[in-house]
Amino acid sequence: MEKETTQSIEAVAKQIASQYRKNELLSGREGLSLPDRSIVIGILKDLRKIMFPGYYGDLPPDAGVSEYFVGGHLHTLYNTLMVQVQKALAYCHKDVERAETISREFIEALPKVQEYLLKDVQAGFDGDPAAKSREGVIFSYPGLYAVYIYRLAHELYIRDVPFIPRIMTEYAHSRTGIDINSGAQIGEYFFIDHGTGVVVGETTIIGNHVKLYQGVTLGALSTRRGQELRDEKRHPTIEDNVTIYANSTILGGETVIGHDSVISGNAFIVESVPAGTRVSAKIPEIKMVPTK
């Protein structure tokens, strides 16, 4: 029996190794390697300590002291990120020399990202009566965590970095159940309440002071054309001061939800909604029948 098992395993190994030789997708590109997912996730964790000192690490919150700690951490993060960006660019036959500039610009964008995140924290606190403090929003709200990662990933996306933005946002997706594509454009004071099941597509545009509830999808219409749609706007535009309640679906690149609108739960929308509109889904009839 042991001999048969060994022979069986060897036969399977031979078949799999054969696939490596036949298929470039499995064998990789000679001399090149993909970015390391664990290192990219580590960058997100380390940056969280800098964006929110005292919540996720030992960086002191006192600005007069912390600049030295922050500077040291940023130098390390810069070098770590640059290596991963170099790998991503090289694998896709892009200009590897851009890695240094991209990584520097990413670091330079962090103060702006932090300002946005602090406004997102305030939006979470203002928009949720269950929030006891802004500290609680930072420390425990999955919506903020997903938005934190999105805002970092977006800075790499707009600089045309392959792989890494998607690694970041899929990590957030796996941790929170919230799927925000790094290509989406999202304004200030953005809040996702509860969060589970929210999907925001790549070409979505979201204005300021927008609030989404769980299960909301901002997606594309039928994508049967696949890669032909790559550079087209496929996802909706949500203007300022819009609230979209649970399990609503809004689809299409030409669909615009006008400012100051409210979309009820379970709505299905594939055409534009004028500003200041309240959209309600038809409530199904409820029948009450005695159990006995």
Side-chain angles (χ1 to χ4, degrees), residues 85 89-90 92-99 102:
V85 171
L89 294 173
C92 293
H93 304 298
K94 294 179 180 288
D95 183 6
V96 177
E97 293 183 1
R98 290 179 55 233
I102 289 169

Short mmCIF file of all heavy atoms in Angstrom, two decimals, residues 85 89-90 92-99 102:
data_model
loop_
_atom_site.label_atom_id
_atom_site.label_comp_id
_atom_site.label_asym_id
_atom_site.label_seq_id
_atom_site.Cartn_x
_atom_site.Cartn_y
_atom_site.Cartn_z
N VAL A 85 7.11 47.83 -5.21
CA VAL A 85 6.68 48.54 -6.43
C VAL A 85 7.60 48.17 -7.59
O VAL A 85 7.14 47.97 -8.73
CB VAL A 85 6.67 50.06 -6.19
CG1 VAL A 85 6.45 50.81 -7.51
CG2 VAL A 85 5.60 50.44 -5.18
N LEU A 89 6.24 46.59 -11.11
CA LEU A 89 6.50 47.24 -12.39
C LEU A 89 7.29 46.33 -13.32
O LEU A 89 6.98 46.21 -14.51
CB LEU A 89 7.25 48.55 -12.18
CG LEU A 89 6.50 49.67 -11.44
CD1 LEU A 89 7.43 50.84 -11.16
CD2 LEU A 89 5.30 50.14 -12.25
N ALA A 90 8.31 45.68 -12.78
CA ALA A 90 9.15 44.81 -13.60
C ALA A 90 8.35 43.65 -14.17
O ALA A 90 8.49 43.28 -15.34
CB ALA A 90 10.33 44.29 -12.77
N CYS A 92 5.32 43.50 -14.96
CA CYS A 92 4.41 43.95 -16.03
C CYS A 92 5.15 44.73 -17.12
O CYS A 92 4.51 45.42 -17.93
CB CYS A 92 3.31 44.81 -15.43
SG CYS A 92 2.20 43.87 -14.35
N HIS A 93 6.48 44.63 -17.12
CA HIS A 93 7.32 45.27 -18.14
C HIS A 93 7.08 46.78 -18.20
O HIS A 93 7.05 47.39 -19.27
CB HIS A 93 7.07 44.64 -19.51
CG HIS A 93 7.29 43.16 -19.54
ND1 HIS A 93 8.52 42.58 -19.28
CD2 HIS A 93 6.43 42.13 -19.79
CE1 HIS A 93 8.41 41.26 -19.37
NE2 HIS A 93 7.15 40.97 -19.66
N LYS A 94 6.91 47.37 -17.04
CA LYS A 94 6.80 48.82 -16.94
C LYS A 94 8.13 49.40 -16.47
O LYS A 94 9.03 48.66 -16.05
CB LYS A 94 5.66 49.20 -15.98
CG LYS A 94 4.27 48.81 -16.47
CD LYS A 94 3.21 49.19 -15.45
CE LYS A 94 1.82 48.80 -15.92
NZ LYS A 94 1.35 49.66 -17.01
N ASP A 95 8.24 50.71 -16.51
CA ASP A 95 9.49 51.40 -16.17
C ASP A 95 9.79 51.26 -14.69
O ASP A 95 9.17 51.92 -13.84
CB ASP A 95 9.36 52.88 -16.56
CG ASP A 95 10.65 53.65 -16.31
OD1 ASP A 95 11.67 53.02 -15.97
OD2 ASP A 95 10.63 54.89 -16.48
N VAL A 96 10.77 50.42 -14.37
CA VAL A 96 11.13 50.15 -12.97
C VAL A 96 11.69 51.39 -12.29
O VAL A 96 11.57 51.56 -11.07
CB VAL A 96 12.14 48.99 -12.89
CG1 VAL A 96 12.57 48.74 -11.45
CG2 VAL A 96 11.55 47.73 -13.48
N GLU A 97 12.30 52.29 -13.06
CA GLU A 97 12.90 53.49 -12.47
C GLU A 97 11.84 54.40 -11.85
O GLU A 97 12.18 55.27 -11.05
CB GLU A 97 13.70 54.25 -13.54
CG GLU A 97 14.93 53.48 -14.01
CD GLU A 97 15.74 54.27 -15.01
OE1 GLU A 97 15.35 55.42 -15.31
OE2 GLU A 97 16.77 53.74 -15.47
N ARG A 98 10.57 54.18 -12.20
CA ARG A 98 9.50 54.98 -11.61
C ARG A 98 9.25 54.62 -10.15
O ARG A 98 8.57 55.36 -9.43
CB ARG A 98 8.20 54.78 -12.39
CG ARG A 98 8.19 55.39 -13.78
CD ARG A 98 6.87 55.11 -14.48
NE ARG A 98 5.75 55.56 -13.67
CZ ARG A 98 4.70 54.80 -13.32
NH1 ARG A 98 4.64 53.55 -13.69
NH2 ARG A 98 3.72 55.30 -12.60
N ALA A 99 9.75 53.48 -9.69
CA ALA A 99 9.44 53.00 -8.35
C ALA A 99 9.86 54.00 -7.27
O ALA A 99 9.14 54.21 -6.29
CB ALA A 99 10.12 51.65 -8.10
N ILE A 102 7.38 57.00 -7.40
CA ILE A 102 6.07 56.57 -6.91
C ILE A 102 6.08 56.43 -5.40
O ILE A 102 5.17 56.90 -4.71
CB ILE A 102 5.67 55.24 -7.57
CG1 ILE A 102 5.33 55.45 -9.05
CG2 ILE A 102 4.47 54.61 -6.84
CD1 ILE A 102 5.18 54.17 -9.84
#
